[in-house]
Amino acid sequence: MAIHPTAIVDKNAKIGKGNEIGPYVIIEGNVTIGDNNHIYPHAFIGENTTIGDNNEIHMGAIVGHFPQDKAFKKDSKTFLVMGNNNTIREYVTIHRGTEPESTTKIGDHCLIMGGAHIAHDCQVGNGVIMANMSGIAGYVQIEDNAILSGGSMIHQFVRIGKLAILSGNCRINMDVPPFLIAGERNQTWGVNLVGLKRAGFSKQQIRDLRKLYGLYTKSGSKQKMIEAIEQEDFSNSQEFIDHFVQFIQTSERGACFQQ
């Protein structure tokens, strides 16, 4: 383990094996850092933050600081939990929860690019990519392997579905269903073909999801969509069809739609 002499590490922080902690890094109290992480110069790790193994936290990143929420009280004990094998690039900001005992969570194998922002109480899955200057407001949920292109702005309480991809500079304040392309202001533009192929979906599964998208855009209501789906043979893709339908059924903000 190498800790640069200019780094400030609280005596109550728990630091694992094989970590590299660069110049002028600040690590506050009640922080737990696993093994083989690389924390670059001038990064800040706030109190009540837990970081797993094999993460990279680059220059100027702020991980686990106070939320930007007027409801937050500075004596509240709130948390940030980050998994393994994540890359947090320059000047990213990730804030811990707002209410006492609440937690912001980041999964594994995420790439959060320069200047991106993850607000309080967000739940970010595995394999998520947030490109430069994208931002998610409080309580946003992002499912596994979703991609937010540069400058994407996501309203609080929105959900982004599995393997969805958002175009650059979009403004989203409704839920984005799994497997779709979304952009502009709550628009959907079809199925994320490139992402599905890269994820190993078969040709039949991709055909099924394209058919599902047609049913979604033409049915006019959740109930009619479900009735139309029940008339189709989606046996090769049932897991993904069920996930899509469950996502739509549980949407509280309403789901983005073709425009």
Side-chain angles (χ1 to χ4, degrees), residues 69 71-72 76-79 97-103 121 139:
D69 188 339
F72 177 72
S76 294
K77 189 173 184 179
T78 68
F79 303 91
T98 291
E99 298 296 329
E101 305 300 320
S102 64
T103 302
D121 301 284
Y139 303 100

Side-chain angles (χ1 to χ4, degrees), residues 142-161:
I142 303 182
E143 295 184 346
D144 294 349
N145 301 305
I147 298 176
L148 279 62
S149 298
S152 304
M153 289 291 135
I154 314 303
H155 195 275
Q156 62 188 4
F157 294 103
V158 162
R159 295 185 301 157
I160 308 298

Side-chain angles (χ1 to χ4, degrees), residues 129-142:
I129 298 174
M130 291 180 59
N132 300 74
M133 307 309 292
S134 57
I136 59 176
Y139 303 100
V140 165
Q141 298 178 35
I142 303 182

Side-chain angles (χ1 to χ4, degrees), residues 81-119:
V81 176
M82 182 188 300
N84 308 314
N85 301 293
N86 297 291
T87 299
I88 309 300
R89 291 303 304 248
E90 298 87 343
Y91 303 104
V92 166
T93 52
I94 306 175
H95 294 163
R96 59 184 189 263
T98 291
E99 298 296 329
E101 305 300 320
S102 64
T103 302
T104 301
K105 293 183 179 179
I106 313 291
D108 303 329
H109 299 284
C110 295
L111 171 56
I112 313 300
M113 299 186 194
H117 175 63
I118 298 174

